[in-house]
Amino acid sequence: MIDLSLNEVETLSAKAARGAGFSWGLAEDIGRAARRIAVEDQNWGQALLGLLDNAQSFAPPDPACAARWRIGEADVAAGRPLCPIRTATLLLDDPPPEEVMPLTILDVALPLWLDAMLRRSTMRLAHPVALARADVVIERQSGIAPPVAGRRGAIDRETLAALNGLAARTYVPESERSRTRGAGGGRVDD
């Protein structure tokens, strides 16, 4: 096992998410959520790989679904599991009114990620989270939990290599000019 600082967990997770096809904004959200998961769960790397490997199969919440949530109507399963990241960002950007809480959302993929993202708000999952598909109930809490610091995120070598491989997709390819110039300021390094 390798211990990473929480900053390393966040940075690596954001780069790997971007390499897996998420926008930079969503990738940064994933990085912050991975940091929260690493504080509480020894298997944050596997949870991240599960998210990134399956991200293309998740459905984003559609506008009709979001409209039902806002007025408290019963949710309808989309057929494909909902993306926990895009669902969380929709809820964070436009929180449902107090009177529709608790809110039940059907068929959310990897609700662990939804929970980690909602922790920066007053919304929480009402029941313990699972790593598989599940129906979730979101409720309001009185306050926002303070960030936890001073811990490290353990990860095994194989998972780290896989995440580094995804992160490498964000790097600019070398060119002949960059190879001759090296990492410095050019021929004259002043």
Side-chain angles (χ1 to χ4, degrees):
M1 293 298 269
I2 299 169
D3 274 343
L4 300 179
S5 72
L6 294 179
N7 284 340
E8 290 172 318
V9 167
E10 185 173 339
T11 301
L12 174 61
S13 299
K15 285 181 182 179
R18 180 62 186 135
F22 283 95
S23 68
W24 274 117
L26 290 177
E28 288 175 0
D29 287 339
I30 291 168
R32 284 187 290 275
R35 180 185 190 118
R36 287 182 199 93
I37 292 169
V39 165
E40 298 169 3
D41 186 0
Q42 292 298 319
N43 217 358
W44 68 271
Q46 285 297 321
L48 181 59
L49 275 180
L51 173 70
L52 301 180
D53 287 345
N54 297 302
Q56 300 306 316
S57 65
F58 302 150
D62 64 7
C65 187
R68 281 192 304 275
W69 296 344
R70 295 208 50 74
I71 60 174
E73 283 185 13
D75 197 18
V76 177
R80 294 187 313 172
L82 284 176
C83 175
I85 304 303
R86 290 180 175 89
T87 301
T89 53
L90 181 105
L91 292 170
L92 291 169
D93 289 347
D94 190 15
E98 184 74 34
E99 61 268 9
V100 302
M101 297 301 231
L103 173 66
T104 301
I105 301 177
L106 301 179
D107 200 18
V108 176
L110 308 172
L112 172 73
W113 290 95
L114 177 64
D115 181 57
M117 295 222 9
L118 290 180
R119 291 208 189 154
R120 64 181 186 177
S121 74
T122 57
M123 292 178 275
R124 300 282 186 284
L125 296 190
H127 307 291
V129 295
L131 198 53
R133 291 168 67 164
D135 299 342
V136 297
V137 177
I138 299 171
E139 59 187 12
R140 291 244 186 240
Q141 297 290 320
S142 60
I144 298 172
V148 177
R151 297 198 179 136
R152 299 184 68 76
I155 188 168
D156 63 78
R157 291 185 189 283
E158 295 80 25
T159 304
L160 181 61
L163 292 176
N164 278 328
L166 288 169
R169 294 179 185 174
T170 65
Y171 303 155
V172 175
E174 283 186 358
S175 66
E176 190 60 40
R177 181 175 178 214
S178 69
R179 279 192 285 277
T180 58
R181 292 180 75 183
R187 292 191 172 120
V188 177
D189 195 12
D190 53 1

